Amino acid sequence: MQRTIAVLPGDGIGREVMREAVRVLKVVADKFGHEFHLNEGSAGGAAYEKYGAHLPQETLDICSASDAILFGSVGGPVSESTLPKWVDCERNSILTLRKTFKFAVNLRPAKVYSGMEEISPLKKEVLDRGVDMLIIRELLGDAYFGRHEEGERNGVRYASDESEYNEDQIKVAAHAGFKAARLRKKRLTSVDKANVLTASRLWRKVVKEVSSEYPDIQLEDMLVDNCAMQLIKDPAQFDVIVTSNMFGDILSDAAAAIPGSLGLCASASINDQGFGLYEPPGGSAQDIAGKGIANPIAQILSAALLLRYSFAMETEAQAIENAVEAALKAGYRTGDITRSTAGDTTKNSTEKLVGTEAMTNAIIEELEKTNAKSGKKEAVATA
Ligand code: IPM
Ligand code: MN
């Protein structure tokens, strides 16, 4: 298959981890007989320096001419946050892409890999029940895209962000939730604040209506404050969660803490044409940029989601995910996912502390063992 991918590395560690994801994509292309054409574009502070804009038309054109977007991270160091290069950098880049390409839902898997329990902040008993969930977040409604207003009334300053939902937006998210649940454990939790918010009441009603088309899926409604608590107390109860933009932003970061590092989390933002943007939600991590120590896994797993959701290459996506899991099982660790990161000082001889490039080498080595037909690891011949 021939496919074009817009590659937008952005700022900070984005540039370093993108290089690694591209190496992995090249191995996949070779192995499975695909041709991926990569078109690099600028975004964020890097684009601002070159074009005076965080998301120049040139970049949007590259994206429009591609079959999917692989995005790195944008944003500057905290100490420079008032420089024009960084002011509104994330908002201008990411929200504009979402709006331009109508990415209506965002998918974030959160899973604790076996053998990685010790870096999770949660207790072993909680993790033993098996944490593997998918958070689906509506991406074009809510306070993010409502009217923003700031002013002064009778000498008192005020600011407001209108938060509205229409039934069509809710239906899109609900269908995405039910369809995803159908491919997993057939359980969907719809999260809202229907005890207080009118928009949440509509949300709950519409999700219920849509559920009649999915009699095989078990639907449960949950209030967002309770959900935040349940994510920490008993995350194994969740299969697929579907929720609104703002709640999803917060809950997906809470869920991302469970595997132990944002460096293990990937995300997909998709429109109704299957066109999507794939990115690690961890940010540009300027404090560790340029040192060659950033964890490339989130970017590599984002590339796997790209293959799955935009190119329907499920076998290839699984091959990458299995290779990541195998490299972790073999003990390879970047600094963010070592036991000592989790405060564990006991010696673990199986851990091999590596940098960005060596971690990718370990993943590629595992990928090379994959059988291109089945996507499974080649059987090792025994005597
Ligand atoms: C995310 C980010 C963005 C959001 C910001 C950077 C605009 O936090 O993708 O979750 O709030 O959606
Ligand atoms: Mn967020």
Side-chain angles (χ1 to χ4, degrees):
M1 244 187 229
Q2 286 208 30
R3 289 286 180 269
T4 304
I5 303 173
V7 172
L8 314 183
D11 305 311
I13 61 163
R15 316 198 67 76
E16 297 161 52
V17 294
M18 184 63 87
R19 208 180 298 132
E20 306 304 318
V22 164
R23 281 172 64 208
V24 171
L25 281 172
K26 287 192 172 145
V27 175
V28 170
D30 280 353
K31 205 155 181 88
F32 293 87
H34 302 304
E35 235 174 87
F36 296 143
H37 304 284
L38 307 177
N39 274 342
E40 189 165 329
S42 306
Y48 194 90
E49 277 192 346
K50 206 163 154 197
Y51 301 96
H54 291 121
L55 195 72
Q57 190 56 43
E58 284 82 349
T59 302
L60 286 170
D61 292 344
I62 288 176
C63 295
S64 302
S66 303
D67 301 305
I69 305 168
L70 189 60
F71 193 87
S73 303
V74 294
V78 183
S79 59
E80 294 177 15
S81 59
T82 53
L83 297 182
K85 178 180 171 186
W86 301 122
V87 172
D88 281 340
C89 175
E90 283 101 332
R91 217 155 110 159
N92 294 344
S93 327
I94 299 171
L95 299 190
T96 308
L97 280 164
R98 286 178 190 166
K99 204 169 170 175
T100 306
F101 296 107
K102 302 193 173 61
F103 294 132
V105 289
N106 177 253
L107 279 62
R108 292 197 197 176
K111 168 177 170 177
V112 175
Y113 289 96
S114 76
M116 300 295 288
E117 293 83 357
E118 67 264 349
I119 66 157
S120 170
L122 299 186
K123 285 197 200 113
K124 191 175 174 312
E125 308 86 272
V126 174
L127 299 173
D128 279 349
R129 283 174 238 147
V131 177
D132 184 355
M133 72 182 100
L134 176 65
I135 299 194
I136 298 185
R137 161 185 175 195
E138 194 291 326
L139 212 50
L140 293 176
D142 217 341
Y144 275 75
F145 291 102
R147 199 166 8 113
H148 303 290
E149 208 180 275
E150 228 182 318
E152 203 173 305
R153 276 187 216 109
N154 308 324
V156 179
R157 287 174 298 162
Y158 74 91
S160 87
D161 303 280
E162 185 182 71
S163 135
E164 183 182 304
Y165 266 111
N166 67 47
E167 61 177 313
D168 292 338
Q169 292 171 309
I170 302 169
K171 277 181 198 159
V172 170
H175 281 291
F178 284 110
K179 288 201 174 113
R182 197 165 256 176
L183 297 174
R184 295 171 51 102
K185 289 182 226 130
K186 302 198 167 35
R187 282 188 286 117
L188 180 66
T189 308
S190 169
V191 176
D192 59 41
K193 187 72 185 168
N195 54 348
V196 177
L197 304 177
T198 324
S200 277
R201 283 188 195 147
L202 181 65
W203 179 279
R204 196 173 274 214
K205 205 192 235 155
V206 173
V207 172
K208 178 107 186 88
E209 286 161 10
V210 172
S211 76
S212 66
E213 294 175 44
Y214 302 87
D216 52 324
I217 308 298
Q218 190 191 325
L219 170 69
E220 179 193 17
D221 294 306
M222 192 178 275
L223 293 173
V224 63
D225 45 354
N226 182 30
C227 182
M229 185 172 74
Q230 296 301 329
L231 275 174
I232 295 165
K233 269 178 73 174
D234 182 21
Q237 71 184 281
F238 297 111
D239 179 21
V240 179
I241 290 178
V242 64
T243 189
S244 53
N245 205 348
M246 182 66 85
F247 296 157
D249 179 44
I250 300 163
L251 294 177
S252 61
D253 265 30
I258 303 172
S261 170
L262 273 169
L264 294 170
C265 300
S267 128
S269 302
I270 307 175
N271 71 17
D272 58 0
Q273 310 293 311
F275 185 65
L277 178 146
Y278 302 84
E279 60 175 330
S284 58
Q286 291 280 0
D287 52 328
I288 59 159
K291 297 183 179 160
I293 58 171
N295 187 347
I297 291 179
Q299 191 74 57
I300 291 169
L301 290 176
S302 298
L305 294 184
L306 182 154
L307 299 181
R308 169 171 296 128
Y309 294 121
S310 281
F311 298 174
M313 295 180 182
E314 181 60 31
T315 309
E316 292 83 338
Q318 274 182 27
I320 295 178
E321 288 164 354
N322 292 342
V324 166
E325 193 152 7
L328 291 171
K329 226 177 218 140
Y332 291 97
R333 299 282 186 273
T334 42
D336 57 318
I337 52 173
T338 53
R339 286 180 136 214
S340 51
T341 317
D344 186 341
T345 51
T346 53
K347 277 253 177 312
N348 180 347
S349 57
T350 60
E351 266 192 14
K352 304 178 192 78
L353 183 63
V354 290
T356 312
E357 204 182 325
M359 179 55 113
T360 312
N361 292 345
I363 293 166
I364 288 177
E365 199 180 303
E366 294 295 338
L367 197 52
E368 297 285 7
K369 296 180 198 159
T370 308
N371 180 309
K373 288 217 175 63
S374 68
K376 304 242 162 61
K377 267 217 224 161
E378 303 272 13
V380 181
T382 46

